[in-house]
Amino acid sequence: MALPLGLVHCGDDLFPPLMPLTDPGGFLHFLFVPDCVRGQDKCWALQKEPRGDSYPSCCDIGLTDGDLPVQLESARKITSIPASCEELLQENNTFCSCVRDKIHSFWPDFEEYLTGNDANESVIDITGAKARVQNVRTSIAHDLVFTLTPNEVPKELDTSGKRNGSNVKLPRGLFQSIRSETDYVKVAVLVLDVGQVGLFKNVARQCVFWDTKKGRRGGWNTSGCLTELRDRGTMCCCDHLTFFTLLMNPSLDNATAQKLFTIADVGCGISVVFSALTISLYFALRFAYKIFKSNDTAKIHVNLTSSLLLLNLAYLLNRRIFSLGHTGLCKGIGGFTHYSLLCCFTWMAIEAFQLYLLVIKVTNIYIRHYMAKLSLVGWGFPALVVTITGSMNSYGKYTIMDTANRTTVTLCWIDSAHLVVHYVTNCSYFGLILLFNTLVLVVVAWKLFSLQRATAGKEEKRKAWKGGLTVLGLSCLLGGTWGLAFFTYGAMSMPAAYLFTVLNSLQGLFIFIWFAVLYYPKKGATTSSSSSGKNGKVTTASHS
């Protein structure tokens, strides 16, 4: 007698299936043996409505009389939907909304189909989905271990040998507990590639399973699953058989995300005002004091402020332009936002380079057409990167989901199909800049405090405070607060997300304060205190 294992209620007294994952960078969804799947309403008459697709086959996944047949051909159609098919995510299109519901419920249904008596497939090998189906005797004397490798059909491993990579373990006690009911069971191990399958969006890093009874479309649930973090992998222990996974890409709940966006909107608005004041103050000082025109450090500050002003304006306009529903405008503002961000990063690196020349190298620092060359790098290099990125058709709609699989916000940015572009042009590029800037800041701070110790006297405490504030100001100029982005993963993700949002949205205010303290003429001070050339200027910037 054969009994599909997925249809047996096993209870909580079974040994939990173990799922070690040693590839923490992957977005790999996998499942084996289904729970009962709730019924879905059919998409009656919705096919008659305009779909609004720009792709002829975007939502055409083989709906028959408003239903999606649970068969291999349907799985092929679902996995063939292009990742760039943004129309499928439209909230205001009832047909596409129904199709999304069908896709979400399809995979648990398909798993049940594989473990049923009508299915003859033993191996499924299609783009985005790999599966192995086999009969297992309930009298088995050893545990079953299957590989979980991207783009490969799961393979059974020898439990006595060394196991590398991600795998799933089915303890023999699981099968022996139902030995009195059946001689063997049918087991299906199915691996889904999120990048191909789509629609199963980001959740916080933890072991979860897809709960078909959660909400209208289902959602991730942690009930019955424990997460054990290890040095070389992550162990998920679940006491039930279902569609489960470990997702490594964190996200926030909707309420928290909305708070962060509100903070960012207010902070960016404040930064726009003070960035404009910084630029106005610079030109006022330039007009009042002729010698101020030759101050390269002040010019670099203003260029950084200008790029920050553009970035804040681009952010504030982004969602409003997206709401217009114009694809060309969305691509344009997405590219402009990317350009402004890269300009900010580049001018932060130029700030560090200027600091290196004037505080660390000091001698032989004259460079012909210095500001022209810096401007070419600061404004020209990002333009080149954005031009290449745009030629790859990388800009478009980018959707951020919350932990309940609901849309939190939609922006015009680098679309989900070109995330590699984001990691290379933004994450990697800024990582290199942050490394260089941090090294320069550490050396400058060491020189500053060494000089203070050498000249320590009655005002030692006051000088220490001034030195600390100087380093704090320089870290803002050099983009130190942007480094918090690397801490928005793991246990500190929530505090880091709030700090990142508050500090970076107010960066324009901080630079205004720095610029005003540094350059605004003091009572009885001469213009030389704020316009003493390169060497004198950096001494002022480092010791004020």
Side-chain angles (χ1 to χ4, degrees):
M1 172 184 175
L3 183 65
L5 183 57
L7 302 181
V8 176
H9 177 71
C10 300
D12 294 339
D13 56 338
L14 295 180
F15 295 98
L18 303 181
M19 179 185 61
L21 294 180
T22 56
D23 182 12
F27 296 89
L28 186 65
H29 289 212
F30 45 92
L31 60 91
F32 63 95
V33 194
D35 282 337
C36 295
V37 181
R38 63 185 174 90
Q40 298 283 342
D41 294 331
K42 296 184 177 181
C43 304
W44 291 115
L46 296 181
Q47 297 173 85
K48 298 177 182 179
E49 296 188 11
R51 294 199 323 228
D53 300 346
S54 59
Y55 297 90
S57 62
C58 173
C59 296
D60 185 10
I61 59 172
L63 288 176
T64 304
D65 294 329
D67 240 339
L68 181 65
V70 181
Q71 57 190 24
L72 183 58
E73 185 59 29
S74 296
R76 294 183 191 276
K77 290 181 178 180
I78 292 175
T79 56
S80 67
I81 296 175
S84 59
C85 179
E86 299 172 349
E87 288 78 5
L88 189 58
L89 299 176
Q90 291 181 121
E91 293 295 334
N92 58 352
N93 187 308
T94 52
F95 179 80
C96 284
S97 178
C98 186
V99 170
R100 285 197 304 274
D101 292 346
K102 294 299 177 184
I103 293 177
H104 279 100
S105 64
F106 174 80
W107 294 109
D109 286 341
F110 183 66
E111 182 189 39
E112 185 172 353
Y113 160 77
L114 292 178
T115 57
N117 293 325
D118 297 334
N120 298 317
E121 295 90 347
S122 60
V123 172
I124 304 294
D125 188 0
I126 59 177
T127 303
K130 315 290 180 182
R132 180 170 296 279
V133 183
Q134 67 182 54
N135 291 321
V136 178
R137 287 192 171 277
T138 54
S139 59
I140 190 172
H142 59 82
D143 301 333
L144 283 182
V145 178
F146 293 92
T147 60
L148 293 170
T149 306
N151 302 319
E152 288 186 10
V153 175
K155 296 183 296 185
E156 185 178 351
L157 294 177
D158 183 1
T159 55
S160 61
K162 184 179 180 180
R163 301 194 298 270
N164 296 318
S166 300
N167 54 76
V168 60
K169 176 182 175 182
L170 300 178
R172 58 185 177 276
L174 178 67
F175 303 100
Q176 293 173 354
S177 64
I178 54 175
R179 188 174 177 180
S180 60
E181 301 179 46
T182 180
D183 296 328
Y184 63 88
V185 293
K186 201 172 185 180
V187 174
V189 180
L190 174 61
V191 182
L192 300 180
D193 186 341
V194 169
Q196 293 289 338
V197 175
L199 297 183
F200 294 100
K201 296 297 181 180
N202 310 343
V203 298
R205 183 189 174 201
Q206 57 188 334
C207 301
V208 294
F209 73 95
W210 187 256
D211 185 356
T212 58
K213 298 179 181 178
K214 187 175 182 180
R216 186 165 62 91
R217 297 175 186 151
W220 297 114
N221 194 333
T222 59
S223 178
C225 290
L226 298 177
T227 306
E228 181 182 340
L229 303 179
R230 298 183 174 184
D231 293 337
R232 296 187 178 181
T234 303
M235 180 79 76
C236 292
C237 301
C238 297
D239 60 10
H240 52 84
L241 297 174
T242 184
F243 180 10
F244 69 95
T245 185
L246 171 68
L247 294 182
M248 308 303 295
N249 193 18
S251 68
L252 303 169
D253 61 88
N254 188 61
T256 303
Q258 293 304 327
K259 290 178 185 176
L260 291 174
F261 280 115
T262 301
I263 293 171
D265 289 343
V266 174
C268 287
I270 294 172
S271 279
V272 166
V273 173
F274 282 95
S275 295
L277 287 175
T278 302
I279 296 171
S280 300
L281 178 61
Y282 168 77
F283 282 105
L285 293 172
R286 184 183 172 95
F287 178 78
Y289 306 107
K290 292 182 179 180
I291 197 171
F292 199 77
K293 296 179 181 180
S294 62
N295 193 317
D296 290 340
T297 304
K299 293 177 183 177
I300 293 173
H301 292 344
V302 169
N303 275 279
L304 173 59
T305 304
S306 299
S307 65
L308 194 61
L309 174 62
L310 293 179
L311 178 61
N312 287 319
L313 286 173
Y315 171 77
L316 292 173
L317 293 173
N318 197 298
R319 278 176 286 170
R320 290 163 180 79
I321 290 179
F322 173 79
S323 64
L324 298 176
H326 193 286
T327 303
L329 286 177
C330 186
K331 289 180 181 291
I333 192 63
F336 180 66
T337 305
H338 191 203
Y339 172 73
S340 303
L341 181 65
L342 293 180
C343 285
C344 279
F345 291 162
T346 307
W347 280 106
M348 289 172 190
I350 291 174
E351 288 274 9
F353 177 71
Q354 174 76 349
L355 205 57
Y356 164 77
L357 289 182
L358 302 175
V359 177
I360 300 174
K361 188 175 181 182
V362 180
T363 59
N364 299 322
I365 60 173
Y366 174 75
I367 300 175
R368 190 178 181 184
H369 303 303
Y370 182 59
M371 279 308 302
K373 293 176 179 177
L374 291 183
S375 297
L376 183 63
V377 174
W379 300 107
F381 177 71
L384 177 63
V385 173
V386 170
T387 300
I388 295 173
T389 304
S391 67
M392 299 166 59
N393 198 29
S394 300
Y395 300 115
K397 188 175 93 171
Y398 180 76
T399 303
I400 300 175
M401 310 293 285
D402 66 6
T403 53
N405 204 45
R406 297 171 300 188
T407 299
T408 299
V409 69
T410 306
L411 300 168
C412 297
W413 181 238
I414 300 171
D415 62 39
S416 302
H418 296 87
L419 286 180
V420 174
V421 174
H422 165 67
Y423 290 124
V424 173
T425 62
N426 295 327
C427 300
S428 300
Y429 181 56
F430 176 70
L432 293 174
I433 289 174
L434 182 64
L435 178 62
F436 171 68
N437 290 10
T438 302
L439 291 175
V440 171
L441 183 62
V442 168
V443 174
V444 169
W446 175 75
K447 283 199 167 193
L448 174 62
F449 290 112
S450 295
L451 181 62
Q452 287 182 348
R453 282 197 300 269
T455 58
K458 293 182 179 180
E459 297 184 351
E460 181 177 356
K461 289 185 178 180
R462 182 170 175 267
K463 287 183 177 179
W465 272 105
K466 289 179 69 176
L469 291 174
T470 298
V471 172
L472 192 62
L474 288 173
S475 66
C476 180
L477 283 177
L478 303 184
T481 55
W482 287 83
L484 288 169
F486 296 109
F487 295 93
T488 55
Y489 297 86
M492 295 298 294
S493 60
M494 189 71 71
Y498 275 100
L499 281 174
F500 177 89
T501 304
V502 171
L503 295 178
N504 289 311
S505 65
L506 293 174
Q507 191 174 7
L509 170 62
F510 300 147
I511 292 179
F512 170 78
I513 295 172
W514 173 267
F515 193 88
V517 170
L518 207 61
Y519 295 107
Y520 194 78
K522 316 289 191 300
K523 268 189 178 181
T526 64
T527 58
S528 61
S529 66
S530 62
S531 57
S532 54
K534 287 187 180 179
N535 286 337
K537 184 66 248 139
V538 164
T539 302
T540 303
S542 301
H543 298 285
S544 61

